[in-house]
Amino acid sequence: MIPLSLELLPLAAESEGATHAVGPIETALVSVLLVVGTFFLIVGTVGLLRLPNVYNRMHATSKATTLGAASIALAGFVFYGPGGDGLMSLVTVVFLFLTAPTGAHMISRAAQRMGIDFVSEVTWPAGPDTGGEDTDVTPTDD
């Protein structure tokens, strides 16, 4: 087995034709932003696959994936710096934060106009104290 070390994982800036160097702080920040972005994208994907209706799925995809893609774009900004490709990364973040809420709003309006109820009935999975039966929860006026 090959031991994992920093010599085996060179950054693109250390390869031939690199125009800038990335220090250890920038490398750590890029790594953290990539991990955070990947986490949010995975959470958004799981939400898209697991949530029951269009409104919940829209929430998962618009919030989590926007944060995930923005984190990855910010990692690009940290890596490339404030000019050129780094500026394109910041423009990407601004574009995401302007378009994702608008798209989510349009999807929810279309679903509403199609007649999809927001909450018709909520069924919670069986808990340990219910004896294995599903519990229907209806809203009450308290």
Side-chain angles (χ1 to χ4, degrees):
M1 178 175 216
I2 300 173
L4 185 62
S5 67
L6 292 177
E7 290 82 28
L8 296 177
L9 300 171
L11 292 173
E14 296 171 354
S15 63
E16 297 177 16
T19 59
H20 65 283
V22 177
I25 294 174
E26 288 89 359
T27 302
L29 187 57
V30 166
S31 299
V32 167
L33 285 169
L34 288 175
V35 168
V36 167
T38 303
F39 171 76
F40 277 116
L41 288 172
I42 290 172
V43 167
T45 302
V46 169
L48 179 65
L49 297 174
R50 297 281 309 201
L51 293 174
N53 62 22
V54 67
Y55 301 107
N56 292 339
R57 290 176 184 159
M58 174 199 54
H59 179 75
T61 55
S62 66
K63 305 298 185 268
T65 57
T66 299
L67 289 174
S71 294
I72 291 174
L74 284 176
F77 173 73
V78 170
F79 183 76
Y80 290 111
D85 291 334
L87 182 62
M88 190 182 318
S89 295
L90 284 181
V91 169
T92 301
V93 171
V94 170
F95 182 76
L96 280 170
F97 282 123
L98 290 176
T99 58
T102 305
H105 177 75
M106 297 308 291
I107 290 170
S108 67
R109 290 289 301 230
Q112 181 188 22
R113 288 182 180 178
M114 288 175 55
I116 299 173
D117 292 333
F118 184 67
V119 175
S120 60
E121 180 179 291
V122 177
T123 302
W124 294 97
D129 59 344
T130 60
E133 298 176 7
D134 286 346
T135 305
D136 290 338
V137 177
T138 56
T140 59
D141 295 331
D142 289 332

